[in-house]
Amino acid sequence: MLFRQSEMASLLFRKTIVYSLVVLSFCFSTVLTDVFAMSENLAGKAVTLLEQKDYSGALEVLHSLEKTLSNPEQISNMLAVAYLGQGYQLLAAGEFQSARDSFRAGRSYNDEDVRLWQGEAITLYRRGNYPEAVSLLDQALGIDQKNPDLYLLLGKAYYTGRRMAEAVDALQRSVEYGGGDEVAGLLDK
């Protein structure tokens, strides 16, 4: 009789464990479904904010989403684009340091996007810091060696910094890679 009670207790214990695992599995599945739904909802909201050019709002949503993802790199490009847009908005408003900070933050998510390098270089150029702008553009050209816009800006920075031979070379490369009438006009000077 004692043996049967022990067997019954063991069987009851195993059933309890199995039942607990089933309940736990269901709860975990429900939580995961909720997390995925929340993630999809936040991602959709971020896309809408990006389309509306509300980059600060998009960044807020994306950083919230980043905390919920097991692989936050999934949204790295979206974060980079949001920082890029914010950087250009700040640049247009004359908030040069904040713009530069935004471009740099974007590069921490995607340092292969030359638009972020170019944005920071434009910020430095507009502040009169031509040598540092040239340095950033050289780095950007290491990523995209045939970008006519980078060569145009590089040529302007060299020209403004009175480095004429380098300015002409950069502008000629811009033309070579498809630079437009603006480049030809600068070369005629």
Side-chain angles (χ1 to χ4, degrees):
M1 181 95 146
L2 185 60
F3 182 69
R4 286 187 174 198
Q5 286 179 343
S6 169
E7 282 180 18
M8 298 243 329
S10 176
L11 182 62
L12 185 59
F13 177 73
R14 279 186 263 150
K15 283 184 175 181
T16 303
I17 293 294
V18 168
Y19 176 76
S20 296
L21 288 173
V22 168
V23 169
L24 186 61
S25 174
F26 175 76
C27 290
F28 186 67
S29 171
T30 302
V31 167
L32 279 179
T33 301
D34 290 346
V35 167
F36 288 136
M38 183 178 74
S39 295
E40 283 183 27
N41 185 30
L42 287 173
K45 185 175 180 180
V47 168
T48 300
L49 290 168
L50 286 170
E51 289 171 348
Q52 296 171 347
K53 298 183 181 0
D54 180 359
Y55 301 111
S56 296
L59 285 167
E60 186 177 319
V61 170
L62 287 168
H63 282 299
S64 293
L65 178 58
E66 185 179 33
K67 293 173 188 171
T68 67
L69 297 174
S70 60
N71 181 10
E73 288 183 21
Q74 294 171 310
I75 60 168
S76 292
N77 287 333
M78 286 178 71
L79 280 158
V81 167
Y83 277 114
L84 176 71
Q86 181 185 55
Y88 276 109
Q89 284 180 340
L90 292 165
L91 183 61
E95 297 180 33
F96 298 117
Q97 187 57 51
S98 295
R100 185 175 187 199
D101 293 343
S102 187
F103 293 125
R104 283 181 166 182
R107 284 203 329 258
S108 73
Y109 289 98
N110 183 358
D111 66 347
E112 296 293 312
D113 188 339
V114 295
R115 299 172 303 170
L116 292 157
W117 293 89
Q118 183 178 8
E120 186 177 355
I122 291 169
T123 303
L124 292 165
Y125 177 86
R126 290 195 47 202
R127 292 180 78 188
N129 190 342
Y130 310 117
E132 200 169 347
V134 165
S135 176
L136 281 172
L137 291 165
D138 282 337
Q139 292 175 64
L141 285 165
I143 299 166
D144 184 358
Q145 296 147 356
K146 295 183 179 183
N147 186 315
D149 295 330
L150 294 176
Y151 281 110
L152 171 60
L153 186 55
L154 182 62
K156 287 180 176 183
Y158 279 140
Y159 181 83
T160 308
R162 303 192 192 290
R163 294 169 61 179
M164 298 308 168
E166 290 144 313
V168 169
D169 182 55
L171 293 172
Q172 286 174 337
R173 284 187 178 213
S174 179
V175 169
E176 180 182 331
Y177 296 123
D181 294 335
E182 181 182 1
V183 179
L186 289 171
L187 281 171
D188 288 339
K189 285 185 178 180

